[in-house]
Amino acid sequence: MEQNYWEAEDKKYIWHPAMQMKDNEVFPPVVIDHAKGSYLYGTDGKEYLDIISSWWCNLLGHCNEEINEALKKQVDELEHVIFTNFSHKPAIKLAQELEKVLPEGLSRFTFHDNGSSCVEAALKMAFQYHYQTGHPERTRFMCLPESYHGETIGALSVGSMDFYAKIFHPMLMDNIHFDGLDCYRCPYGKTRNHCGVECFESAEKAFKQYGKETAAVIVEPILQGAAGMRIYPAEYLKKLRKLCDEYGVLMIDDEIAAGFGRTGKLFAIEHAGISPDILCTSKGLTAGYMPMSLAITTDKVYDA
Ligand SMILES: *Cc1c(COP(=O)(O)O)cnc(C)c1O
């Protein structure tokens, strides 16, 4: 009874993201009442194992007591304050703690409110870095095949998945999309970690042709989540870092999905033993508790 009521009211009001609403007629949404640890409890009285970690965000369990207590304490002290010319202790403490564990050189923190918006900030930061250092002609971005970086217009422009971007192509920036990187169906007939990263030739060609008009290349490190959890060799990232340095192109490391231990290292780019110029993090950062993200950069970019 209760379940049917909430299902019907959902159908009446809610337009859900990243799904075809027509499917709702056959598969109505599961309305969740409460949650604990790895389990969700529906208004239908059923228990669900949250095997997608509520879209890869929930790293520390639902209704984690330690986090809940900290949130309740914080909301009684300070719930929000303007961040221009004002600051607050939790933001400063977060930066202090993260700097200790981030890849080397990442020391300047900008705060945003979801994954897509910190990707937007990273793109603008890269563009402005070149603008301020005498290269306003660097207006384009490079990205990997089947990349996913979010749903806002800039983030969608550095995405290569037609599934999300196709109908919006007329609105998007003209970026450079590599091809060939696909370890599952390797076009060179090789297997991952037993190859010479032959697919990197596409990146080399792109840098030769467009390196001087490019502000930054953006990557999901090691693991391309939305593409279907596609994993690629760390060597690809090492080669890319070298090429970026050669051509003066910045490297943006989108750790929104892979960060905070999802690949066995705290940040996935550590597998390649390199540091990016800008690192984006969101999902695991708050474990789904808050809409928050960070675009973190180096003193070099900040100083410009
Ligand atoms: C989820 C995701 C984003 C977008 O984050 P939102 O919070 O949904 O805007 C960007 N990049 C990657 C790699 C992601 O997995």
Side-chain angles (χ1 to χ4, degrees), residues 55-56 114-117 119 148-151 220 226 254-257 282-283:
W55 218 318
W56 321 337
N114 59 60
S116 305
S117 71
V119 167
Y148 179 82
H149 298 288
E151 301 289 330
E220 293 162 89
D254 178 352
E255 299 261 359
I256 294 164
S282 181
K283 290 188 172 93

Side-chain angles (χ1 to χ4, degrees), residues 74-101:
Q74 183 57 48
V75 82
D76 280 334
E77 286 169 13
L78 173 67
E79 86 304 342
H80 173 251
V81 66
I82 178 173
F83 210 43
T84 301
N85 286 335
F86 287 79
S87 193
H88 54 79
K89 287 184 278 181
I92 299 162
K93 283 192 211 159
L94 177 61
Q96 285 175 331
E97 290 300 313
L98 281 177
E99 200 211 2
K100 295 179 201 159
V101 296

Side-chain angles (χ1 to χ4, degrees), residues 61 93 101 106 118-119 135 146 165 174 182 192 205 224 236-237 286:
K93 283 192 211 159
V101 296
L106 296 167
C118 79
V119 167
H135 291 287
E146 297 300 294
D174 179 25
D182 181 354
R192 189 175 65 230
K205 206 169 132 222
Q224 295 189 291
Y236 192 98
L237 293 170
T286 70

Side-chain angles (χ1 to χ4, degrees), residues 106-166:
L106 296 167
S107 54
R108 296 287 177 172
F109 295 75
T110 67
F111 287 73
H112 311 279
D113 48 14
N114 59 60
S116 305
S117 71
C118 79
V119 167
E120 298 288 334
L123 300 176
K124 288 170 71 184
M125 202 184 277
F127 170 81
Q128 193 177 358
Y129 167 78
H130 292 296
Y131 183 90
Q132 307 272 115
T133 54
H135 291 287
E137 75 283 3
R138 290 186 180 269
T139 58
R140 301 182 74 190
F141 296 91
M142 293 178 179
C143 54
L144 304 184
E146 297 300 294
S147 55
Y148 179 82
H149 298 288
E151 301 289 330
T152 50
I153 301 304
L156 205 55
S157 299
V158 285
S160 301
M161 297 181 69
D162 271 352
F163 179 70
Y164 297 100
K166 194 172 178 185

